[in-house]
Amino acid sequence: MTRYLKRCCDRAGCQLAGESVDNLATHSSSVLDFIDTRVSPDYDSMMETSEKYNMDAHRFHTLLAEFNASFEELNSTISNVVTVVDK
């Protein structure tokens, strides 16, 4: 009886393991397909967008630095005019 039970359990275990491996292969393939078709393109798009934001930020920083220099020059000029007028 023990040998019979052992053989039945071995067969059931092999069948269950085989089904588990089949399910794992099927679902792994689905996950990999999802990553390939959805995640990777979205990631690439996100990287492209972040690079554009970075370039825009550098341009904006340069523009503000130029405005700052212009306003400092204007402030200096106005201060000189005020000094001359006050004399």
Side-chain angles (χ1 to χ4, degrees), residues 15-66:
Q15 183 179 3
L16 183 59
E19 288 174 14
S20 296
V21 169
D22 289 343
N23 286 338
L24 180 62
T26 299
H27 295 296
S28 296
S29 178
S30 296
V31 169
L32 291 174
D33 184 51
F34 174 78
I35 290 171
D36 212 24
T37 59
R38 297 289 305 264
V39 175
S40 289
D42 286 348
Y43 178 79
D44 292 340
S45 175
M46 184 178 65
M47 289 301 295
E48 183 180 326
T49 301
S50 68
E51 288 171 7
K52 288 179 181 178
Y53 280 143
N54 191 32
M55 289 173 24
D56 289 346
H58 285 291
R59 287 185 196 133
F60 192 69
H61 179 269
T62 301
L63 181 65
L64 289 179
E66 290 171 1

